[in-house]
Amino acid sequence: MAVTEQQRRAYVASQAADARLNVELQTEDMTLNIGPQHPATHGTLRVVARLDGEQVVWADVVCGYMHRGYEKLTEVRTYPQITTLVNRIDWLSSFANEVPFILAAEKLMDIEAPPRAQYIRTILFELARIANITLFIGTMGADLGAITPVFYAFRDRERILNQIEAVTGGRFHPNFDRIGGLKDDLPRGWIDETKSAMVRVREFCDELEELLMGNEIFQARTRGIGVIPADVGLSYGLSGANIRASGIDWDLRRDQDLPLAWKDLDWKVWTHPDGDSFARFWVRLQETREASKMVDQMLDGLPAGSIQAKVPRIIKVPEGEAWVHTENPLGEMGYYVVSQGGLGPFRCKIRSASFNNVSVLPWVLRGTYVPDIITILASLYFILGDIDR
Amino acid sequence: MSSADTEEQQDQHAAANAERQQVLDELKAALGDAVVGEEVHAGDLWIRVPAGEWRQAMEACKAAGFNYFDFLSGIDWMPSAPNPEDAETLSVEPDADADEAPDAEEAAEAEAEHEAEPQPSEAGTVAAFETAAGEPDSGWKTGVAGGETRFQVFARLHSPQRKLGVTLKADLDDESPQVASIHDIFFGAEWHERETWEMYGFVFEGHPDLRHIYLPGEFEGFPLRKDFPLLAREVKPWPGLVDVEDLPAAEEARQDAAINAAQEGNGADAGEGGS
């Protein structure tokens, strides 16, 4: 049932040709405004679609309702203070936002966190991924009209948030990563609790796999909808599960050498050749299960030792430029930090995944039907804070 | 961290740098004289091209396998004043442009009033600026792969196949920063160019729809330029700056000792959290 790029282009071309032939039947275009406040946008994003009948002939995305100017704010903050800012970019996986920024600062300072800190960072990173994508699995169902998965998702996500809270003290904004290490070690008894939570995550994935992916309506509404071919995806800078669902075998956890625990683990990068909404959902579900297995492995292999490298009390980062990107739940997140030897960055470019992921919408929405707009929005999966920064 | 680890890391760095050097040679073969600045270090690669060669550089990189578009943005190299104590020594006059229209000429005129202070816009280049200032260490820095002007556009491309990336930079004119749009080479650049235009005022020639993306349509000024004041900070300095005053040397030594002791302590009851 996979739709190839050629088929899709032929389809769009034939629709355009039909439209030209039936000039006398052509109706006046209607402009449909979705958002800024719409449940499917999960925040304040506005999609303007011009419709010919039920078909989208042109679409535009209006963002910026939540723009907070973090790139300017980083220039007046010190390095340790910036973690509080970047926490709020993708707020469903806040810890994962801190890691690349801290790694960029560490790269410039030429220090490396001790192995135990690297492992705990990676564990919290993967827990953030599970918490984030669990919510996606639920809300994708909700956007397609299935309410049950949302309740399941919130119920099981709670256990992950509890584990994150037990370590960091924060459910949403941990602010736990420090230059050279972490704020604290793991609390007693945490490892066993986390392991049982991981078992529950896998059960949740199995449940949802049956509940949603086996569902005929779900399949009818997602298969072949919103197909993004690999070359277009790469050109738009789509990352994460969105590009892996288009058949690109690329995962920054595996494909680069970072001082984090992923290189020691035995795990698999999931890809899907179809590039449609179903593929994006499928890849994310597999990744959640894979992440829970990774957490199990890391808990078993957790090294002993210090959690903080020796750093000066006042952090001054030497002059230089560093780019560090990681595979965040939403895709590639990176920081380009320009330091001039001061207490804060001279310039910090924040590359967030959702901004690029959403920029493909005008391309992919053209030629689709109104109900599919919601499917495509849901399957591309964005967090508003991650678009607007 | 043992010394063996460090050596291993150095080997890895050397290998990564060698790989990037090869990519650099490849790109230089394709671009010829267009590469005016280059740097390979810490496992990363930078290339600087003239603004006129921006599109050609992008096409050459795409042909070399860098088909994934990370981001495009700008840098304003005018020295900034994050610390109020440093602010007096810098040439930036925060109030100069506060109630001015974002007109480059007007801004230049406003700056020209402060004759004693070095003016980048008069001469156009950092080098000339330094000569005019009479002191080489006037706060202007140019970054990795060099640079001669106040504004630079920079972009990051990645190759999922080769598993490495490249940062491209181009110097733009101080008065009217302009560069060719690359939205048709990398579709994702369309939004990034809109963002860079509204934040820095760089004009991307050939962009189909250069309009605001984040800010309201009637917004005036280019917020990420260093001479655009952050109004909240003008009114009240960031309270966090209190935390960063320098410690006396003795106090620092005492704290270092405390950290060392704490680390030894951590090492002793290793795996405590794992129990």
Side-chain angles (χ1 to χ4, degrees), chain B residues 185-273:
Chain B
I185 304 172
F186 292 104
F187 300 154
E190 188 178 335
W191 279 28
H192 286 259
E193 285 175 354
R194 279 170 67 188
E195 189 195 350
T196 311
W197 168 76
E198 79 173 1
M199 293 295 171
Y200 284 96
F202 299 172
V203 176
F204 292 90
E205 293 158 68
H207 190 285
D209 194 11
L210 214 52
R211 65 193 153 96
H212 285 291
I213 187 161
Y214 283 142
L215 304 171
E218 63 272 17
F219 192 92
E220 286 184 359
F222 304 113
L224 276 179
R225 285 192 178 183
K226 291 286 182 184
D227 51 11
F228 188 94
L230 193 58
L231 285 175
R233 291 286 168 280
E234 297 291 308
V235 178
K236 187 170 183 277
W238 174 240
L241 284 173
V242 178
D243 295 345
V244 298
E245 61 194 10
D246 277 325
L247 289 173
E251 175 71 356
E252 222 166 26
R254 193 189 64 76
Q255 296 207 346
D256 281 354
I259 291 173
N260 277 337
Q263 277 187 339
E264 277 160 28
N266 267 346
D269 49 36
E272 189 62 47

Side-chain angles (χ1 to χ4, degrees), chain A residues 58 60-65 67 71-73 75-78 81 107 110-114 116 185-192 231-240 243 248-250 252 254-257 302-314 316 319-323 325 332 336 338 340-341 343-347 349 351-352 354-356 358-360 362-363 386-389, chain B residues 1 9 12-13 41-44 46 62 67-83 139-144 152 154 156 158-161 163 167 169 184-192 194-195 198-200 209 211 213-215 222-230 233 238-241 243-247 252 255-256 259-260 263 266-267 270-275:
Chain A
W58 174 89
D60 190 25
V61 180
V62 183
C63 50
Y65 292 96
H67 185 245
E71 286 181 22
K72 186 80 173 175
L73 288 177
E75 292 172 11
V76 294
R77 297 258 205 294
T78 65
Q81 287 168 345
K107 189 175 178 182
D110 203 18
I111 54 173
E112 205 169 271
R116 187 175 173 85
D185 210 328
L186 300 175
R188 258 173 227 284
W190 190 82
I191 288 180
D192 292 336
D231 60 334
V232 174
L234 287 170
S235 185
Y236 270 105
L238 249 66
S239 50
I243 198 72
I248 300 286
D249 185 16
W250 179 48
L252 287 168
R254 179 197 61 190
D255 292 344
Q256 63 175 343
D257 187 31
L302 194 63
S306 162
I307 54 151
Q308 179 69 46
K310 192 170 176 292
V311 290
R313 182 169 178 271
I314 292 170
K316 278 195 178 174
E319 215 170 294
E321 295 176 29
W323 160 251
H325 54 171
E332 181 206 28
Y336 191 93
V338 180
Q340 293 201 340
L343 298 165
F346 177 75
R347 165 97 174 96
K349 166 68 192 168
R351 195 273 187 206
S352 59
S354 296
F355 185 67
N356 279 46
V358 167
S359 72
V360 77
W363 187 92
D386 203 39
I387 302 175
D388 285 355
R389 298 194 298 272
Chain B
M1 205 187 304
Q9 272 172 10
Q12 278 174 1
H13 266 313
H41 89 126
D44 213 341
W46 287 264
K62 196 173 185 181
N67 56 352
Y68 176 79
F69 176 77
D70 272 307
F71 70 83
L72 181 147
S73 192
I75 308 183
D76 177 0
W77 288 104
M78 180 188 260
S80 64
N83 197 329
W140 283 79
K141 286 162 184 166
T142 52
V144 176
Q152 270 187 334
F154 74 118
R156 178 88 191 172
H158 194 87
S159 168
Q161 290 80 30
K163 300 181 178 30
T167 308
K169 290 183 172 185
D184 48 346
I185 304 172
F186 292 104
F187 300 154
E190 188 178 335
W191 279 28
H192 286 259
R194 279 170 67 188
E195 189 195 350
E198 79 173 1
M199 293 295 171
Y200 284 96
D209 194 11
R211 65 193 153 96
I213 187 161
Y214 283 142
L215 304 171
F222 304 113
L224 276 179
R225 285 192 178 183
K226 291 286 182 184
D227 51 11
F228 188 94
L230 193 58
R233 291 286 168 280
W238 174 240
L241 284 173
D243 295 345
V244 298
E245 61 194 10
D246 277 325
L247 289 173
E252 222 166 26
Q255 296 207 346
D256 281 354
I259 291 173
N260 277 337
Q263 277 187 339
N266 267 346
E272 189 62 47
S275 60

Side-chain angles (χ1 to χ4, degrees), chain A residues 132-317:
Chain A
N132 189 336
I133 302 184
T134 310
L135 194 70
F136 160 78
I137 294 169
T139 52
M140 173 100 180
D143 287 343
L144 295 178
I147 292 298
T148 318
V150 184
F151 300 117
Y152 284 18
F154 272 95
R155 182 194 65 195
D156 291 325
R157 181 166 161 270
E158 197 60 27
R159 295 191 63 148
I160 308 296
L161 291 182
N162 286 345
Q163 292 311 101
I164 294 175
E165 188 184 7
V167 183
T168 65
R171 280 160 55 85
F172 258 50
H173 300 308
N175 195 21
F176 193 66
D177 214 355
R178 299 286 185 272
I179 289 172
L182 292 165
K183 181 174 171 286
D184 266 318
D185 210 328
L186 300 175
R188 258 173 227 284
W190 190 82
I191 288 180
D192 292 336
E193 276 176 31
T194 311
K195 275 191 173 168
S196 72
M198 289 305 110
V199 173
R200 184 63 214 137
V201 167
R202 287 190 284 275
E203 284 169 11
F204 168 80
C205 290
D206 294 344
E207 258 171 33
L208 268 287
E209 203 159 20
E210 278 178 39
L211 199 63
L212 272 179
M213 290 210 291
N215 184 311
E216 204 178 319
I217 301 170
F218 183 83
Q219 294 218 3
R221 290 207 55 190
T222 53
R223 280 204 186 257
I225 302 297
V227 177
I228 302 173
D231 60 334
V232 174
L234 287 170
S235 185
Y236 270 105
L238 249 66
S239 50
N242 289 332
I243 198 72
R244 284 192 287 277
S246 294
I248 300 286
D249 185 16
W250 179 48
D251 193 313
L252 287 168
R253 290 174 282 177
R254 179 197 61 190
D255 292 344
Q256 63 175 343
D257 187 31
L258 282 180
L260 289 171
W262 290 310
K263 56 185 179 294
D264 304 341
L265 308 178
D266 176 28
W267 59 289
K268 182 177 177 339
V269 176
W270 292 89
T271 60
H272 199 291
D274 286 1
D276 57 6
S277 302
F278 183 84
R280 291 191 278 274
F281 182 86
W282 184 88
V283 169
R284 288 210 177 86
L285 193 85
Q286 306 308 321
E287 282 184 3
T288 314
R289 194 180 280 135
E290 203 67 38
S292 75
K293 291 177 192 164
M294 286 157 85
V295 172
D296 274 352
Q297 288 180 39
M298 284 185 279
L299 292 173
D300 289 335
L302 194 63
S306 162
I307 54 151
Q308 179 69 46
K310 192 170 176 292
V311 290
R313 182 169 178 271
I314 292 170
I315 303 229
K316 278 195 178 174
V317 172

Side-chain angles (χ1 to χ4, degrees), chain A residues 13-29:
Chain A
S14 73
Q15 292 291 325
D18 281 356
R20 275 194 298 279
L21 281 175
N22 300 328
V23 173
E24 63 273 24
L25 294 177
Q26 208 174 18
T27 52
E28 205 176 308
D29 284 356

